[in-house]
């Protein structure tokens, strides 16, 4: 008989997530993911000076604020009809790239690793689920040491970021039109010096630790496959050019659908709401026309996340999508085993190394004395779209300005893609699909489902973002 | 607890430069002393926030985060750090710890408290199939704590999630819990030194640091950014940056330094690398109770106020009132009167 297992809260992620799985014959046969907190970030933007978005919207998330600051600023550039000069473009990439490093290191060592590595027997490492911790003692000890070392390294990655962004979390250095900090030799050297230390850590500790864990848990290359359709908006532009999609970027935009590569077309993104607590007639809308009318009593709904779909198709976003679409050999060589729990961890580690090495070159392209930002005027009425890649995946902000104020703001974020509920065609979201067939040895210690979920590096602070709930009906619904 | 460092010395150390607080040779032995006496249990919960305060705490340099986690405090519950999940986390690491240590553990709250819709805007777990709301959790656990540390502007004053138009009715912790001492350590996010320094003070001396009228420890929040800003000379000479990346005082680009209380100018952020204005950005006033009630990139006086921005009218009054109290109002007003910061573009151009 099927048994229902609820994990609430799922810890070691950002934000509030609950998962519900049905287990039959030792395997997951049904799965639901729901986010349980919402703040209404975009509502706060309504009526504000549109430039505030680069600061307000980055506060969607304290783990990857830079990505939101970048998307918000790109949307402003687009709306204002300007573009960052090369220095500004490069500094934005350096700030974003530095945060990739801190975020990926944090994710593997501090958020995910405790599912595979036995921490010391003191809080907060105990209590923990009883599970098949199977690393050989020596490797486990090494991994615990690396957990500690990684704390230092991710901190240094934030120092590296602060050289251009002033501070972290929540940097002040990315603004409409470009960046704020003037490059000079001193800063370039300070940056390179820290980066060298991080590259050494990534290549000689992070990647090898992932490989050691992957070797011991090699069966996890066959668990958590998911939808196998991948999407990247693309990010970290390498040249000038106003077209987000067409210009050359370090992370190319693109899709991989039913085993075929195809170009990405932003007009095919739409958000479904059949199983979300919103009125049905708000479903199927494009991000530019997102109107949200909550319907907390809605029959059958179970998530505050909407279900973004690409031409109706369920898509996974994140490092695996980016590395696959960039056709990085180490990842594509895994073949379809890349679509798995370990495949995602591996792709993230490889990506971390690639970004770090690329930044080592970019920082030398800075030209001291040249401008970092383009002057602007706030338009009376305009639309802006800002597409980038957050550490967790494709991130887009859509901004409508009226009377020089923000009229509508909408963000479609990585975890909304990955942790989306079912859609109008009853297709499960990527994370739900990945949970299906996951073996669960002991329903009282459901470590396997959380391993699957954490391989996506979910972030719910940003996933639940736009709503105007009706208080009375919401209360009734939850009691329901 | 007796320590070799007097309370006054400790406060002077904290209020000093980054070099002072980061002098682990000074602080470390006292931390060890505190640890010997038994690291107090700490429960860290998150409501309507972004996890930025936790991430900022991880950036502490001296003592290092590993020392904080393994020696200074006994962190029993923390959503981003703990090994356990689900029921195991809620039951064993939280409720049980609170019940076994009434009046002995510290509660850290990160994020504002959504109180609308009976608190259902934020649920943090389940009990017998019913969701546990964050506000219930705060009441259950908070009322048993020895003290509550409200880390970050959201927990301290409501911050971004409490900014209108807002359907969630987010409240600061102090409006929900009334019978337990609360220390506010604001900032979006707070500097790790402000958080660790406050914890250290409480552990070492068994009491709370002196607080200002907004509940902030004076040792970190008594200074005005504007007073010690490296760009102050530009301000005094009326040289104002007009575009990002220009040299000059950042006032015209929106700097809130004249009304913001924090010591980032001398402490610096992220291991002393930089801070908000030094990188050519603006101070956004993130440690203030009014944050983010103002246009971030608009100069403080003469802020154009849009139709949907009635809240800002009040904020404007508070800004000007605050500025006058702090004694810079005169200076600022003087500059405006003489046209040095005047609203008219040509007047400004003429000045330079
Ligand atoms: S207004 Fe801002 S930039 Fe100018 S001196 Fe004051 S704190 Fe510094
Ligand atoms: S300088 Fe201003 S923006 Fe920076 S931390 Fe202090 S109050 Fe916040």
């Amino acid at each position: 008989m099927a048994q229902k297992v609820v994990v609430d809260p799922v810890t070691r992620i950002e934000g509030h997530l609950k998962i519900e799985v049905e287990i039959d014959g030792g395997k997951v046969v049904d799965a639901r993911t729901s986010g349980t907190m919402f703040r209404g970030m975009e509502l706060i933007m309504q009526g504000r000076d549109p430039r505030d978005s680069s600061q307000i919207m980055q506060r969607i998330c304290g783990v990857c604020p830079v990505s939101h600051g970048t998307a918000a600023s790109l949307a402003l550039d687009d709306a204002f009809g300007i573009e960052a000069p090369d220095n500004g473009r490069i500094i934005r990439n350096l700030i974003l790239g530095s945060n990739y490093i801190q975020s990926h290191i944090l994710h593997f060592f501090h958020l995910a690793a405790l599912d595979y590595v036995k921490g010391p027997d003191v809080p907060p490492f105990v209590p923990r689920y009883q599970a098949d911790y199977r690393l050989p003692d020596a490797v486990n000890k090494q991994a615990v040491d690396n957990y500690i070392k990684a704390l230092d390294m991710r901190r240094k990655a934030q120092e590296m970021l602060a050289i251009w962004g002033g501070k972290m979390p929540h940097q002040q250095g990315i603004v409409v039109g470009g960046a704020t900090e003037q490059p000079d030799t001193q800063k370039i050297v300070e940056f390179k010096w820290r980066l060298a230390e991080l590259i050494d850590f990534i290549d000689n500790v992070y990647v090898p630790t992932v490989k050691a864990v992957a070797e011991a848990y090699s069966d996890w290359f066959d668990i958590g496959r998911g939808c196998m359709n991948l999407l990247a908006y693309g990010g970290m532009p390498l040249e000038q050019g106003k077209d987000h999609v067409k210009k050359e970027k370090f992370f190319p935009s693109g899709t991989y659908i039913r085993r075929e590569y195809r170009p990405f077309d932003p007009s095919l993104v739409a958000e479904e709401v059949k199983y979300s607590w919103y009125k049905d007639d708000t479903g199927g809308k494009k991000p530019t026309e997102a109107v949200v009318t909550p319907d907390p009593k809605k029959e059958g709904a179970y998530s505050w996340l909407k279900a973004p779909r690409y031409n109706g198709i369920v898509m996974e976003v994140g490092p695996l999508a980016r590395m696959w679409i960039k056709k990085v050999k180490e990842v594509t060589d895994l073949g379809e085993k890349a679509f798995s729990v370990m495949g995602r961890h591996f792709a993230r580690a490889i990506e971390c190394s690639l970004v770090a090495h690329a930044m080592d070159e970019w920082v030398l392209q800075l030209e001291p004395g040249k401008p970092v930002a383009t002057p602007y005027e706030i338009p009376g009425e305009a639309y802006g779209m800002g597409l980038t890649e957050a550490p967790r995946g494709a991130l887009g902000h859509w901004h409508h300005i009226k009377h020089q104020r923000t009229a509508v703001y909408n963000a479609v974020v990585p975890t909304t893609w990955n942790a989306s509920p079912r859609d109008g065609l009853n297709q499960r979201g990527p994370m739900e699909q990945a949970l299906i067939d996951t073996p669960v040895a002991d329903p009282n210690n459901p470590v396997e489902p959380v391993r699957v979920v954490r391989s996506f590096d979910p972030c719910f602070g940003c996933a639940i973002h736009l709503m105007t709930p009706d208080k009375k009906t919401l209360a009734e619904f939850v009691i329901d | 607890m007796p320590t070799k460092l007097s309370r006054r010395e400790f406060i002077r150390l904290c209020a000093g430069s980054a070099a002072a607080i980061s002098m682990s040779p000074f602080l470390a032995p006292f931390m060890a002393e505190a640890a010997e006496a038994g690291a107090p249990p700490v429960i860290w919960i998150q409501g309507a926030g972004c996890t930025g305060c936790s991430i900022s705490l991880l950036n502490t340099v001296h003592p290092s985060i590993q020392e904080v986690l393994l020696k200074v405090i006994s962190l029993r519950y923390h959503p981003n750090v703990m090994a356990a999940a689900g029921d195991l986390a809620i039951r064993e690491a939280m409720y049980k710890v609170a019940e076994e240590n009434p009046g002995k553990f510290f509660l850290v709250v990160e994020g504002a408290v959504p109180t609308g819709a009976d608190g259902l805007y934020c649920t943090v777990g389940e009990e017998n199939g019913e969701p546990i709301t964050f506000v219930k959790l705060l009441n259950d656990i908070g009322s048993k704590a020895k003290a509550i540390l409200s880390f970050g502007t959201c927990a301290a004053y409501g911050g971004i999630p409490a900014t209108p138009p807002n359907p969630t009715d987010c409240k600061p912790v102090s409006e929900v819990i009334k019978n337990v001492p609360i220390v506010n350590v604001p900032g979006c996010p707070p500097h790790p030194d402000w958080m660790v320094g406050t914890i250290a003070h409480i552990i070492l001396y068994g009491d709370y640091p002196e607080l200002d009228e907004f509940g902030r420890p004076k040792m970190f929040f008594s200074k005005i950014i504007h007073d010690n800003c490296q760009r102050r000379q530009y301000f005094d000479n009326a040289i104002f940056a007009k575009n990002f990346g220009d040299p000059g005082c950042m006032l015209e680009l929106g700097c809130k330094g004249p009304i913001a209380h924090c010591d980032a100018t001398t402490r610096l952020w992220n291991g002393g690398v930089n801070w908000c204005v030094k990188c050519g950005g603006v101070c956004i006033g993130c440690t203030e109770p009014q944050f983010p009630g103002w246009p971030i990139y608009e100069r403080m006086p003469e802020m154009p106020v849009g139709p949907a921005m009635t809240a800002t009218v009040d904020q404007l009054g508070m800004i000007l009132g605050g500025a006058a109290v702090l004694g810079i109002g005169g200076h600022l007003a003087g500059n405006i009167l003489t046209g040095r910061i005047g609203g008219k573009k040509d007047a400004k151009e003429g000045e330079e």
Side-chain angles (χ1 to χ4, degrees):
Chain A
M1 231 205 58
Q3 183 182 358
K4 195 167 108 178
V5 172
V6 177
V7 183
D8 184 13
V10 176
T11 49
R12 281 182 283 120
I13 59 156
E14 198 285 326
H16 302 263
L17 160 71
K18 158 181 164 177
I19 56 177
E20 241 182 289
V21 291
E22 242 175 72
I23 299 165
D24 203 359
K27 281 188 169 197
V28 174
V29 294
D30 199 4
R32 287 177 168 194
T33 55
S34 10
T36 63
M37 185 270 283
F38 36 89
R39 288 176 296 168
M41 292 294 289
E42 287 106 326
L43 297 177
I44 293 162
M45 272 308 297
Q46 281 177 17
R48 287 191 76 112
D49 185 318
R51 295 169 295 177
D52 293 355
S53 61
S54 66
Q55 284 296 320
I56 299 286
M57 294 315 290
Q58 76 164 315
R59 283 167 168 79
I60 271 185
C61 177
V63 183
C64 56
V66 173
S67 321
H68 290 281
T70 303
S73 300
L74 287 169
L76 289 172
D77 293 352
D78 190 24
F80 290 18
I82 55 170
E83 215 192 328
D86 276 327
N87 270 349
R89 172 184 61 77
I90 294 164
I91 288 174
R92 282 178 176 182
N93 286 348
L94 295 177
I95 294 178
L96 184 54
S98 302
N99 199 49
Y100 265 67
I101 294 182
Q102 93 84 21
S103 182
H104 284 0
I105 292 175
L106 177 86
H107 177 259
F108 182 71
F109 286 98
H110 309 118
L111 303 183
L114 292 180
D115 292 339
Y116 308 93
V117 176
K118 231 175 168 172
D121 289 329
V122 291
F125 306 107
V126 286
R128 61 175 160 249
Y129 286 142
Q130 302 306 310
D132 67 329
Y133 300 104
R134 56 174 105 134
L135 292 179
D137 284 350
V139 181
N140 194 81
K141 188 185 171 302
Q142 185 74 51
V144 171
D145 290 350
N146 293 344
Y147 175 105
I148 305 281
K149 187 154 192 230
L151 284 167
D152 276 339
M153 298 316 293
R154 64 147 295 283
R155 176 174 56 74
K156 285 189 184 169
Q158 297 233 313
E159 288 175 14
M160 183 168 91
L161 190 163
I163 293 170
W164 311 110
K167 79 189 242 285
M168 259 306 266
H170 303 325
Q171 49 75 38
Q172 318 282 28
I174 295 179
V175 288
V176 56
T180 63
E181 183 68 293
Q182 277 290 350
D184 61 27
T185 321
Q186 162 86 20
K187 288 166 204 149
I188 292 170
V189 169
E190 268 188 56
F191 185 85
K192 273 190 86 81
W193 173 75
R194 286 188 170 81
L195 183 58
E197 199 180 352
L198 279 156
I199 287 177
D200 181 49
F201 176 80
I202 294 163
D203 290 351
N204 299 316
V205 178
Y206 177 17
V207 175
T209 309
V210 173
K211 284 184 177 159
V213 170
E215 199 176 310
Y217 291 87
S218 58
D219 45 334
W220 287 82
F221 278 109
D222 298 308
I223 299 171
R225 164 168 285 199
C227 62
M228 282 190 68
N229 299 320
L230 306 173
L231 168 68
Y233 292 166
M236 301 197 185
L238 300 176
E239 60 176 8
Q240 299 279 102
K242 288 188 178 163
D243 191 316
H244 285 291
V245 179
K246 295 214 181 83
K247 74 175 146 193
E248 203 202 334
K249 287 164 285 160
F250 181 70
F251 294 122
S253 62
T255 69
Y256 181 78
I257 298 171
R258 295 186 197 103
R259 297 188 169 82
E260 254 181 61
Y261 287 97
R262 289 179 215 175
F264 163 62
D265 174 359
S267 73
L268 297 179
V269 173
E271 298 180 291
E272 302 253 344
V273 298
K274 174 144 188 230
Y275 290 93
S276 317
W277 290 314
Y278 304 100
K279 288 240 183 291
D280 278 333
D281 60 7
T282 63
K285 300 268 196 236
K286 298 197 188 311
T288 43
E289 49 191 37
V291 185
V292 179
T293 317
D295 185 4
K297 282 206 284 188
K298 192 162 124 182
E299 200 73 22
Y302 62 92
S303 181
W304 281 105
L305 271 68
K306 291 187 270 183
R309 296 291 183 258
Y310 181 78
N311 207 12
I313 302 165
V314 180
M315 307 293 278
E316 173 175 341
V317 300
L320 171 62
R322 283 191 292 259
M323 294 298 95
W324 194 267
I325 286 163
K326 195 177 161 72
K327 299 187 179 148
V328 173
K329 196 167 173 303
E330 278 149 298
V331 176
T332 52
D333 275 357
L334 291 172
E336 296 198 344
K337 280 190 189 290
F339 300 82
S340 67
V341 168
M342 275 308 145
R344 287 185 198 98
H345 288 303
F346 184 69
R348 191 174 291 113
I350 297 298
E351 173 176 282
C352 192
S353 174
L354 290 182
V355 169
H357 284 280
M359 283 200 295
D360 211 23
E361 290 172 26
W362 297 342
V363 69
L364 293 177
Q365 294 164 8
L366 288 169
E367 294 188 72
K370 294 251 176 88
V372 290
T374 304
Y376 58 79
E377 271 177 42
I378 305 177
E381 170 147 19
Y383 279 100
M385 174 174 77
L387 300 180
T388 187
E389 287 288 332
R392 285 151 197 79
L395 172 68
H397 284 203
W398 284 263
H399 197 160
H400 183 191
I401 298 164
K402 255 190 192 166
H403 309 301
Q404 300 193 312
R405 300 272 147 189
T406 298
V408 181
Y409 206 97
N410 190 28
V412 181
V413 312
T415 298
T416 320
W417 283 101
N418 286 341
S420 67
R422 289 160 174 77
D423 56 29
L425 301 170
N426 275 323
Q427 306 179 94
R428 292 185 182 94
M431 211 185 270
E432 293 179 340
Q433 291 192 25
L435 280 164
I436 302 294
D437 283 341
T438 299
V440 181
D442 172 9
N444 292 317
N445 287 282
V447 72
E448 296 91 348
V450 294
R451 279 179 185 162
V452 172
V453 167
R454 286 201 188 102
S455 73
F456 286 87
D457 192 4
C459 173
F460 282 78
C462 44
I464 300 187
H465 49 90
L466 194 139
M467 55 220 62
T468 49
D470 168 335
K471 296 172 194 173
K472 286 179 223 143
T473 47
L474 180 66
E476 278 170 39
F477 173 81
V478 177
I479 290 159
D480 206 355
Chain B
M1 175 192 317
T3 86
K4 286 160 236 136
L5 195 66
S6 81
R7 199 168 175 276
R8 274 185 59 187
E9 283 166 334
F10 177 83
I11 287 169
R12 210 179 312 131
L13 198 68
C14 284
S17 65
I21 180 81
S22 294
M23 251 181 227
S24 68
F26 276 104
L27 210 47
F30 302 102
M31 288 298 187
E33 204 181 315
E36 251 169 56
V42 171
I43 294 175
W44 181 309
I45 57 178
Q46 295 172 337
C50 72
T51 308
C53 306
S54 292
I55 299 291
S56 187
L57 182 83
L58 293 182
N59 291 343
T60 172
V61 181
H62 291 301
S64 70
I65 186 63
Q66 42 275 40
E67 280 174 306
V68 174
L69 291 185
L70 299 174
K71 291 189 194 147
V72 180
I73 59 171
S74 173
L75 188 63
R76 302 299 183 85
Y77 188 96
H78 189 297
N80 308 122
V81 177
M82 66 193 308
D87 237 24
L88 184 65
I90 293 273
R91 235 184 24 239
E92 297 291 316
M94 178 134 54
Y95 275 95
K96 214 168 134 194
V97 172
E99 272 148 28
E100 287 173 358
N101 300 277
K104 291 202 188 100
F105 69 94
F106 292 95
L107 181 68
V108 173
V109 183
E110 173 178 5
V113 192
T115 62
D118 300 324
L120 289 165
Y121 294 101
C122 180
T123 65
V124 291
E126 274 194 7
E127 203 176 21
N128 309 322
E130 293 289 322
I132 303 172
T133 65
F134 183 70
V135 62
K136 176 181 186 302
L137 182 81
L138 177 61
N139 275 305
D140 288 354
I141 305 291
S143 58
K144 295 191 180 69
K146 177 176 174 145
I148 297 179
L149 307 179
S150 293
F151 279 178
T153 300
C154 299
Y157 310 123
I160 284 186
T163 302
N166 185 306
T168 58
D169 282 335
C170 274
K171 300 258 191 278
V173 173
S174 57
E175 282 183 33
V176 177
I177 301 284
K178 303 281 186 190
N179 60 341
V180 171
I182 295 176
V183 179
N184 288 333
V185 184
C188 192
H191 193 292
D193 287 359
W194 307 339
M195 295 186 272
V196 174
T198 301
I199 293 174
H201 184 286
I202 295 173
I203 294 177
L204 289 172
Y205 303 104
D207 67 359
Y208 309 102
E210 204 189 331
L211 307 178
D212 72 5
E213 57 181 317
F214 298 113
R216 301 176 284 203
K218 283 189 180 169
M219 57 191 183
F220 303 118
F221 297 100
S222 60
K223 288 186 193 137
I224 301 290
I225 280 299
H226 186 67
D227 289 347
N228 292 300
C229 178
Q230 292 91 339
R231 292 180 190 246
R232 180 57 187 259
Q233 200 62 42
Y234 287 126
F235 176 89
D236 289 344
N237 293 322
I239 298 168
F240 297 102
K242 289 207 202 66
N243 293 311
F244 288 106
D246 287 354
C249 162
M250 303 304 292
L251 187 81
E252 297 251 345
L253 292 171
C255 187
K256 305 296 180 287
I259 54 130
H261 295 74
C262 96
D263 58 14
T265 45
T266 49
R267 185 173 306 281
L268 306 178
W269 273 84
N270 302 98
V273 170
N274 213 341
W275 71 282
C276 317
V277 168
K278 191 161 168 269
C279 81
V282 299
C283 166
I284 66 173
C286 72
T287 55
E288 299 308 300
Q290 303 96 318
F291 175 79
W294 38 64
I296 288 166
Y297 292 109
E298 197 67 49
R299 176 160 52 83
M300 282 195 298
E302 296 181 6
M303 284 189 288
V305 173
M309 294 292 286
T310 43
T312 309
V313 182
D314 298 331
Q315 294 298 353
L316 190 55
M318 287 174 97
I319 290 166
L320 294 174
V325 169
L326 302 168
I328 82 117
H331 193 162
L332 208 55
N335 277 333
I336 294 162
L337 284 178
T338 56
R340 297 168 91 190
I341 323 176
K344 294 216 178 71
K345 273 231 152 66
D346 41 2
K348 256 185 326 195
E349 243 95 73
E351 271 301 300
E352 285 169 21

